[in-house]
Amino acid sequence: MSRPAANTMIVEAPAKVNLFLRVLGIRPDGFHELETLILPISLADQVEVHAAADPNFRTLSLSLDVSGEDELVRGVPRDEANLVMRAGLALAERTGVLGFADIALDKRIPPAAGLGGGSSDAAAALAALNELWECGLDGPSLREVGGSVGSDVPALMLGGPALARGRGEQVEVAAVCPLSLVVVTFPFGVSTPEAFRWWDEAGAPTGPEPGPLLEAARLGMERVAGSLFNDLEAPVVRRHPEIAEAKRSLLDGGALGAVMSGSGPTVFGVLAGPDARVDRRIEEEIVGLTGRPPAYVTAKGSRAR
Ligand code: C5P
């Protein structure tokens, strides 16, 4: 059977950091109730989607190709364990669409890093497939499909800073000032379910009410830098003390504040402005600790809300 005429879309899938991550407790379904402020950053994967729907095309055919540096792509699944494939299947199931999609991921975001790479790839693929398959789902419906794929996916579909609640799927646009950040990644990953389990086992505490932090995030770098927190950080640091060392290095090197992102191990620091850098000596210390230099990124911010 010949394939229908297809179109191609190339979409950026930004990484995210969590300016705060508050774990309220475990729920009966095993997920944890959260409050978190998710901020897309300028580090991004590229997602190329070549696809078409065809009512005469009696099957649904999805393919995935993954490229990028060896170290980044080694652990990235090519099958249905990849959130991009799950996103395609979930959208097809929701809409009944038949056809095909060939998806190519160019990875630049480290996996299992707390940077939301897999979730953002899925968010980008859903937006592209909704267009190319002409599904016609509106934002909330498409985010509902995203939520069935992963807890971080709906927030990354908002296209800007997002306040997420529930298990992460209840999202609203948040007002956040533009930020300059330094990001330290590690040559190992942390599994999200494990990080949450460690929080449970430690009986770890819940961070402060986010009202003042949300106000600080709207107002400026200095204000927000002092109030960053992540309830998963202490239990993850207990297993990976390098995270605390990296955080200390960033603060010694001039970052205004620093915290672990998501379920880790990535640590980021807030800098005083777009041209700010941590000391050269500290950059070398970080290379010694992680085997890679820190990355300087920006977050656009949003005035909405
Ligand atoms: O939703 P997602 O597939 O990204 O979640 C991965 C795992 O992380 C879940 O299976 C669960 O163990 C844990 N998790 C959680 N509470 C959340 C989000 C994730 O316990 N709010």
Side-chain angles (χ1 to χ4, degrees), residues 88-182:
L89 292 171
L91 183 60
E93 192 172 318
R94 165 76 177 250
T95 59
V97 75
L98 292 174
F100 81 95
D102 296 330
I103 304 176
L105 293 183
D106 187 4
K107 292 293 297 176
R108 291 151 205 174
I109 307 171
L115 290 170
S119 304
S120 192
D121 295 344
L126 275 178
L129 287 172
N130 189 43
E131 290 284 318
L132 295 171
W133 282 345
E134 298 177 356
C135 298
L137 291 192
D138 61 11
S141 307
L142 200 57
R143 286 199 292 277
E144 210 176 284
V145 177
S148 74
V149 174
S151 303
D152 278 345
V153 179
L156 288 160
M157 296 177 82
L158 277 190
L163 178 62
R165 294 197 175 90
R167 71 174 170 86
E169 85 289 9
Q170 298 163 24
V171 296
E172 60 185 272
V173 174
V176 177
C177 63
L179 290 170
S180 298
L181 306 172
V182 53

Side-chain angles (χ1 to χ4, degrees), residues 23-69:
V23 186
L24 297 157
I26 191 163
R27 318 191 315 187
D29 65 3
F31 281 88
H32 291 72
E33 196 70 11
L34 299 180
E35 272 179 323
T36 183
L37 184 52
I38 293 181
L39 192 65
I41 60 175
S42 52
L43 171 68
D45 290 341
Q46 198 179 67
V47 184
E48 183 173 331
V49 184
H50 181 67
D54 184 348
N56 301 320
F57 207 72
R58 266 175 282 173
T59 55
L60 176 75
S61 157
L62 299 178
S63 79
L64 178 63
D65 182 58
V66 182
S67 62
E69 280 176 31

Side-chain angles (χ1 to χ4, degrees), residues 63-94:
S63 79
L64 178 63
D65 182 58
V66 182
S67 62
E69 280 176 31
D70 269 3
E71 200 191 3
L72 289 187
V73 302
R74 209 175 295 134
V76 177
R78 266 72 167 172
D79 58 11
E80 283 168 26
N82 192 298
L83 296 188
V84 161
M85 295 292 266
R86 283 201 225 158
L89 292 171
L91 183 60
E93 192 172 318
R94 165 76 177 250

Side-chain angles (χ1 to χ4, degrees), residues 199-225:
W199 184 88
D200 291 335
E201 286 168 2
T206 298
E209 288 282 340
L213 204 157
L214 286 169
E215 186 61 4
R218 193 173 64 79
L219 293 175
M221 313 235 192
E222 287 82 2
R223 297 286 288 272
V224 73

